[in-house]
Amino acid sequence: MHLLNKQPIDPRLYRDAMSRFGGHVQLVTTASGDQRRGVTITAACSVSDNPATVLVCLNNSNPKNEIFFSSGIFALNTLGAHHQALADAFSGRTQFTNEERFATGKFDTLVTGAPILSDALAAFDCRVTEIKEMTTHHIIFGEVLAVRFDEQKPALLYMNRDYHAL
C-alpha cells in the first residue's frame, strides 16, 4: 500500500493508482475550416444542467490538440462497447492517419459543426465557454447546444489499462 505524504507524488505511481479508476470512454472531436481532430479520452464529465455544461481534459503536449483550444467548438461522443476499434483508432494505439481515424466511424454534425459520431450512445455538441490550463492538460468547458442519443447499449469503460463493457 502506498500512502500519501508531503513529498510530491511520482507521476508513474500516480498513473498506476489512477489506472484503477474506471472511466467511460469518450471521443472528443472538433473542426476548424476543413481540419478535423478527434481524441479518445476518459477525462470528461457533466458540470451543470442549467445551463447544460460539460468539461473535457486534453493533454497540451500534443501540438495537434491546438485545434481544440482555438476552434471554439467541440463534441463529446460517448462510446459503446461496439466502438472499441474506433476508440483505439483515435487513442493513438494504431498508426492511422487522421483521415483513416475518421473513416472508422460515420460522422455528421448537429449545430456547431463539430464532428458527431452518428451511433454514439450520446453526443453533446458544445460551444467552448472557458479553457483553463493546468500543468500538463487543458480543461475545456463547453455549453451544450444540442444533444443526440441512441438506443441503450452496453457502455465502453476503461479500467486497469484495458477496455470493459458495462
Side-chain angles (χ1 to χ4, degrees):
M1 178 187 325
H2 297 281
L3 299 176
L4 188 64
N5 59 36
K6 294 185 187 242
Q7 298 294 328
I9 296 294
D10 176 279
R12 195 172 100 197
L13 178 66
Y14 176 77
R15 286 191 305 272
D16 287 345
M18 286 303 294
S19 74
R20 275 67 168 185
F21 187 86
H24 199 144
V25 182
Q26 312 274 348
L27 174 62
V28 61
T29 58
T30 193
S32 182
D34 62 351
Q35 299 294 310
R36 296 189 298 178
R37 172 98 172 126
V39 179
T40 300
I41 64 171
T42 57
C45 68
S46 172
V47 175
S48 176
D49 66 353
N50 190 16
T53 305
V54 296
L55 69 76
V56 298
C57 299
L58 285 174
N59 192 311
N60 57 18
S61 68
N62 187 333
K64 292 179 181 177
N65 285 343
E66 182 59 39
I67 189 173
F68 283 101
F69 314 137
S70 62
S71 68
I73 60 171
F74 70 90
L76 184 61
N77 299 277
T78 303
L79 302 185
H82 61 288
H83 289 123
Q84 185 171 332
L86 183 135
D88 278 344
F90 282 93
S91 73
R93 286 184 172 188
T94 64
Q95 298 303 312
F96 288 176
T97 65
N98 196 51
E99 293 77 25
E100 291 169 328
R101 289 176 178 187
F102 276 96
T104 63
K106 183 179 176 197
F107 293 86
D108 56 17
T109 60
L110 293 177
V111 174
T112 69
I116 301 287
L117 181 63
S118 63
D119 66 341
L121 298 187
F124 304 87
D125 193 15
C126 304
R127 175 183 62 84
V128 174
T129 58
E130 188 173 356
I131 300 175
K132 292 194 176 280
E133 186 173 356
M134 299 294 294
T135 62
T136 61
H137 284 68
H138 280 83
I139 304 166
I140 305 173
F141 294 85
E143 180 182 4
V144 179
L145 301 181
V147 296
R148 181 171 67 203
F149 48 95
D150 201 3
E151 63 185 87
Q152 292 185 0
K153 294 179 183 173
L156 184 62
L157 301 180
Y158 194 76
M159 184 174 168
N160 294 324
R161 295 187 172 96
D162 201 4
Y163 294 114
H164 303 273
L166 178 65

